[in-house]
Amino acid sequence: MRKNRALLAAAAFSIIIGLSFMFVKISLTYEGQLLILAQRFTFAFLGVLLFLAIKPIHLRLGRREVLIVAVISLFYPIIFFSSQILGLDQTTVTEAGIIQAIAPAITVLLASIFLKEQVRKVQGIGIVFSIAGVVFLQLMNSSGGYDFHLIGNLLIIVSILATAIWQVMSRSATKSIAPIQITIYIMFIGFLFFNAVYFINGGSAEEYIGSLTEIPYLLSILFLGVLSTFGTSLLSIYAVSKLPVIQVSVFNNVATLITILSGVLILSEPFHYYHIIGAAVIIFGVILVNVKKKIKYKKAA
């Protein structure tokens, strides 16, 4: 039962993440990056407060646990959300979604190094394929006469690295800290950090409140704050606390597909033939990374 709940949590996490790229892109048509991040975490923190009002949680942690949470917060939310929104401002949702497909490969690599989760030869080959697919996309973009989104795509890769590190660290941290405790603390840190950055850089309360009168923007921020920030943090940390990080990472395939479809079908972004080739190479690599062990190993056990 716990395994099924963790699998459902991982699936829900990936679906929300897949849609979040589109909502970030929509919000960027209305306001700047700093305001979006500040408001996103304000709504995320309001979601935390509502959650605590319904179900009070013991939040006291020791010094060691506080340090662990602080380090996790550096990668997620600070580095992850900063690099993601900066990247999406300089690339398309479609390309970001395709690049997102390398996340499982990176997660598997880090899990093998830091969590000692076994990586088989076929998974190593898959990692190479995934990276090769991303390189191919960038070479085609630069040589085909289309817009070259090198900086934007590199920032998306940074956000993927931050996600992988966060999941690996969370897997280890949940041995001594409850998933909900980690989630609440990183939401609070994100709320303080991004709002402080916004106001220090000249942001005004009038702009902060006035921007929320635009209904499409408000709906985007609500989705990004409550579901895509607070919701996915809780779902992801819960999933990796119950399942191996390598197993959870396979659900990034769902996020990749939804991101690409939302960019092409809803935002009407261009989709070229080389996107199909690059996506196929990346996803083939991801499949290799997550291929199951041969049955003979199970029999030997």
Side-chain angles (χ1 to χ4, degrees):
M1 180 62 73
R2 286 184 177 181
K3 183 178 180 180
N4 289 337
R5 288 177 181 175
L7 289 172
L8 285 173
F13 160 81
S14 295
I15 291 171
I16 296 171
I17 287 296
L19 290 171
S20 69
F21 283 79
M22 178 185 69
F23 282 104
V24 169
K25 201 70 176 178
I26 291 172
S27 66
L28 283 167
T29 64
Y30 288 89
E31 299 295 340
Q33 300 144 349
L34 291 180
L35 179 58
I36 292 170
L37 286 172
Q39 291 173 328
R40 180 174 185 166
F41 274 88
T42 295
F43 280 108
F45 188 59
L46 289 174
V48 168
L49 294 179
L50 179 61
F51 180 88
L52 290 175
I54 297 172
K55 185 178 181 180
I57 301 294
H58 174 70
L59 295 175
R60 187 171 183 179
L61 298 176
R63 289 184 179 180
R64 179 177 176 275
E65 286 74 23
V66 170
L67 180 60
I68 291 172
V69 172
V71 174
I72 290 175
S73 298
L74 176 63
F75 292 98
Y76 185 99
I78 294 172
I79 294 177
F80 170 75
F81 284 104
S82 298
S83 56
Q84 184 196 66
I85 198 168
L86 289 170
L88 282 171
D89 197 32
Q90 300 182 59
T91 190
T92 65
V93 170
T94 302
E95 288 187 30
I98 293 171
I99 294 170
Q100 179 70 22
I102 70 171
I106 294 175
T107 303
V108 166
L109 183 61
L110 293 181
S112 68
I113 295 172
F114 297 104
L115 298 179
K116 307 305 180 184
E117 292 185 3
Q118 184 180 5
V119 177
R120 289 167 288 121
K121 184 178 180 179
V122 67
Q123 290 177 315
I125 295 172
I127 292 173
V128 173
F129 265 97
S130 293
I131 296 173
V134 174
V135 173
F136 169 77
L137 281 173
Q138 294 308 316
L139 290 175
M140 290 303 295
N141 274 339
S142 61
S143 63
Y146 304 111
D147 291 336
F148 187 37
H149 304 125
L150 175 61
I151 300 301
N153 290 342
L154 284 175
L155 286 167
I156 295 298
I157 291 174
V158 170
S159 73
I160 291 170
L161 283 168
T163 303
I165 294 171
W166 162 54
Q167 288 186 331
V168 169
M169 291 186 69
S170 295
R171 170 72 172 172
S172 178
T174 52
K175 295 177 181 178
S176 58
I177 312 172
I180 185 60
Q181 289 179 313
I182 297 174
T183 302
I184 290 172
Y185 274 103
I186 65 177
M187 289 301 101
F188 179 61
I189 291 172
F191 167 70
L192 292 179
F193 178 82
F194 288 114
N195 275 277
V197 170
Y198 170 71
F199 285 108
I200 289 173
N201 280 273
S204 67
E206 182 180 357
E207 180 188 23
Y208 199 100
I209 298 171
S211 62
L212 298 174
T213 58
E214 294 282 353
I215 300 302
Y217 178 74
L218 175 61
L219 292 176
S220 296
I221 292 297
L222 280 171
F223 179 91
L224 293 171
V226 179
L227 289 179
S228 185
T229 304
F230 175 48
T232 59
S233 298
L234 183 57
L235 290 168
S236 178
I237 292 175
Y238 175 77
V240 298
S241 72
K242 306 298 181 185
L243 299 169
V245 170
I246 291 175
Q247 188 174 351
V248 174
S249 69
V250 72
F251 287 93
N252 281 282
N253 298 340
V254 178
T256 298
L257 178 61
I258 291 174
T259 300
I260 294 171
L261 290 176
S262 66
V264 175
L265 300 178
I266 300 177
L267 299 182
S268 300
E269 293 183 345
F271 193 72
H272 303 289
Y273 76 92
Y274 62 84
H275 282 135
I276 298 175
I277 298 173
V281 173
I282 292 170
I283 292 173
F284 176 68
V286 171
I287 291 172
L288 290 180
V289 167
N290 291 282
V291 70
K292 292 182 179 179
K293 291 182 178 180
K294 294 181 180 179
I295 297 176
K296 66 179 182 179
Y297 291 127
K298 294 182 179 180
K299 288 182 177 179

